Amino acid sequence: MRGAPETEYDVVAVGCGPFNLGLAALADGVDDVDLVVFEQRPELRWHPGVMFDEARLQVSFLADLVTLVEPTHPLSFLCYLRDVDRMYPFYVREQFHPTRREYEDYLRWAAARLDTVRFGHRVCSVSWEPTRQRFLVRVECSDGGVHTAAARDVVLGIGTEPALPAALGDLPAERVLHTADYLDRDADVAEAGRVTVVGSGQSGAEVALDLLRRNRAGGPAVDWLTRTESFAPLDYTKLVLEMTTPAYVDYFHGLPEPVRDELVARQWRHYKGISAETLEEIHDELYRRELDDGPAPVRLRCAVAVEDAAVDDDTGEVVLTCHQRDTATRFEHRTDLVVAATGYRQRTPGFLAALEPLVRRDQRGRYRVRRDHSVELDPAVSGRMFVSNADLHSHGVAAPDLGIGAYRNATVLNAVAGREVFRLPKNTAFTSFTTPAPEG
């Protein structure tokens, strides 16, 4: 696109993860919405650092890019299975939660069928042009060229980034890694004599499981520390799952901000817990060790918060200062390598600097997000900036869930088109979340 003239679109979407890819998939069938997706990476990659062979999604295959609002769409997961001739094997397998490897392959399959997705295109800046009433998106292309895209609306789908807590922040890079980079740092893991996982959640549990398997095969000693009171399972019971439905999102968005914050803090097990299957596999692996002679030690500790970390100059070991929360005691823990299973945080993209004075934020500095997923902007801005998976604080625990992606994207496209392009489901939960109206 070197030297190409400015191009005008209805919508420019930034980032191509599952959510914006789903937006492009649904928009592909809408004739009067001209959309483009810019992604700086050269190809679609989805959580490569924890792409274990048999790691499965925590949602059904129905939570694909399109099915929950458009089940006959040609880019559904079932259409993918038919196209790659794997329908009957998938059916007979009776594992309706696909592996992450298969889901990534599905995403790549869908992206290859969309000419609106541009890989190798890095968004440098987004600004508002008041005279034209358009967002101007400056893009650097993989061939070195620079292009400007003008759009009525923009959608941010840039995802989150690994979060390393301050307690581990002073460790040298060769002594600490985030679970997001675990498989990419395989050589460092293999060379360590003792590896400590700090934090739990699904990624932490999958890393711990991999380390336990390495341990039985002669690999390093393993320690797993979590500040939670137990290695907590994901609360995935049926009525709890209704809190990831549009019905609960409607209810949650209408609550006062302090109440929403309190609820998100209490509901962490709905989206940060460990799947029951993974916990069972970990226990099975621990039990198998009982029959083995000679594997390096394994220790699991709950209710332990890591408060500080440093490298011992004499031994070269990492020394973690730990606080046992139940007994209020402190102790030192020594290891060779720390794997931080400490979650993710919202990215702060530099390309939005020019828009910052126009963005409205809440008391904690987060976007004020309307029910249709658009961010509140200065009234002088007629365009809209929508967000995907940057609305946990405003839309609740469904925000990072793949099962809400198609519904959210359909909501955005209905708003962009100014009409009901997609008929959104009304009956989404048996639970009534709101206060009942007075009788009579």
Side-chain angles (χ1 to χ4, degrees):
M1 295 174 66
R2 186 186 296 272
E6 178 183 290
T7 307
E8 181 144 347
Y9 301 94
D10 296 316
V11 182
V12 167
V14 184
C16 188
F19 292 135
N20 268 358
L21 183 60
L23 182 74
L26 286 178
D28 192 52
V30 183
D31 293 336
D32 58 344
V33 174
D34 189 11
L35 174 144
V36 67
V37 180
F38 294 127
E39 167 57 54
Q40 68 176 351
R41 296 171 299 178
E43 61 180 358
L44 193 149
R45 304 275 316 271
W46 193 61
H47 300 305
V50 286
M51 192 60 74
F52 301 104
D53 283 347
E54 283 302 309
R56 294 206 303 266
L57 295 186
Q58 294 175 308
V59 293
S60 158
F61 71 92
L62 293 174
D64 62 12
L65 300 175
V66 293
T67 293
L68 288 174
V69 296
E70 196 73 8
T72 60
H73 196 284
L75 294 180
S76 71
F77 186 80
L78 288 179
C79 286
Y80 156 76
L81 289 177
R82 180 185 61 187
D83 194 56
V84 299
D85 196 19
R86 202 158 58 239
M87 184 73 78
Y88 267 88
F90 183 82
Y91 161 68
V92 172
R93 190 184 190 206
E94 291 190 340
Q95 294 285 354
F96 285 179
H97 289 199
T99 64
R100 283 206 290 268
R101 285 186 62 198
E102 185 172 33
Y103 188 74
E104 184 188 53
D105 193 62
Y106 159 64
L107 297 178
R108 288 172 176 267
W109 171 87
R113 283 153 180 77
L114 291 167
D115 60 6
T116 53
V117 178
R118 309 277 195 272
F119 289 102
H121 286 59
R122 185 175 73 89
V123 171
C124 305
S125 65
V126 180
S127 59
W128 175 251
E129 178 52 61
T131 58
R132 297 173 56 189
Q133 295 291 289
R134 289 290 184 272
F135 291 100
L136 298 183
V137 182
R138 185 174 176 271
V139 183
E140 287 185 358
C141 311
S142 55
D143 64 2
V146 177
H147 180 68
T148 300
R152 294 198 322 254
D153 302 309
V154 295
V155 181
L156 300 183
I158 57 176
T160 54
E161 62 185 5
L164 197 66
L168 301 176
D170 291 334
L171 288 179
E174 64 270 16
R175 294 307 190 94
V176 63
L177 62 99
H178 194 275
T179 51
D181 303 315
Y182 178 74
L183 292 177
D184 296 330
R185 298 274 301 273
D186 184 77
D188 293 332
V189 175
E191 290 174 5
R194 185 171 180 179
V195 180
T196 299
V197 180
V198 175
S200 51
Q202 185 65 22
S203 295
E206 289 174 0
V207 167
L209 178 59
D210 182 71
L211 288 169
L212 288 173
R213 289 169 174 162
R214 291 174 185 246
N215 175 266
R216 287 188 65 225
V222 180
D223 291 275
W224 190 10
L225 312 177
T226 181
R227 63 182 296 138
T228 54
E229 62 188 15
S230 67
F231 294 98
L234 188 71
D235 195 340
Y236 225 60
T237 49
K238 296 295 186 290
L239 292 180
V240 168
L241 271 179
E242 294 200 336
M243 300 175 77
T244 64
T245 64
Y248 186 74
V249 172
D250 287 339
Y251 165 73
F252 184 90
H253 189 268
L255 296 172
E257 181 182 315
V259 177
R260 296 197 306 242
D261 289 343
E262 181 185 349
L263 282 173
V264 168
R266 290 208 314 256
Q267 294 169 353
W268 65 270
R269 279 184 58 187
H270 303 337
Y271 62 103
K272 287 185 177 180
I274 305 166
S275 73
E277 293 81 4
T278 304
L279 288 171
E280 289 174 6
E281 289 184 77
I282 288 172
H283 193 272
D284 287 345
E285 198 64 35
L286 291 168
Y287 188 82
R288 291 187 192 103
R289 293 183 78 259
E290 297 292 294
L291 302 177
D292 296 335
D293 293 323
V298 169
R299 303 179 187 87
L300 281 66
R301 300 185 190 277
C302 302
V304 171
V306 175
E307 297 184 333
D308 196 13
V311 175
D312 187 320
D313 292 333
D314 294 328
T315 66
E317 296 173 302
V318 174
V319 181
L320 302 180
T321 302
C322 301
H323 175 215
Q324 214 289 343
R325 302 174 72 191
D326 295 337
T327 60
T329 56
R330 284 174 171 77
F331 63 94
E332 285 190 352
H333 173 81
R334 290 177 175 263
T335 189
D336 296 317
L337 181 68
V338 176
V339 181
T342 47
Y344 295 79
R345 62 185 167 220
Q346 292 298 323
R347 296 182 190 274
T348 305
F351 63 76
L352 288 181
L355 284 182
E356 188 57 39
L358 304 175
V359 174
R360 298 295 177 257
R361 296 181 179 273
D362 65 18
Q363 293 181 349
R364 297 176 62 176
R366 302 165 301 193
Y367 294 139
R368 292 189 178 275
V369 187
R370 302 184 183 94
R371 177 61 187 88
D372 67 357
H373 306 282
S374 63
V375 176
E376 291 185 21
L377 301 175
D378 186 283
V381 180
S382 61
R384 289 160 296 187
M385 183 174 76
F386 298 92
V387 291
S388 287
N389 195 15
D391 47 8
L392 177 68
H393 62 287
S394 59
H395 288 65
V397 295
D401 195 290
L402 291 174
I404 205 68
Y407 186 96
R408 174 165 51 204
N409 286 332
T411 301
V412 170
L413 289 171
N414 284 352
V416 167
R419 58 189 176 85
E420 191 182 57
V421 179
F422 298 99
R423 181 169 59 88
L424 298 177
K426 304 290 192 297
N427 180 24
T428 62
F430 292 117
T431 306
S432 297
F433 299 105
T434 57
T435 303
E439 295 185 7

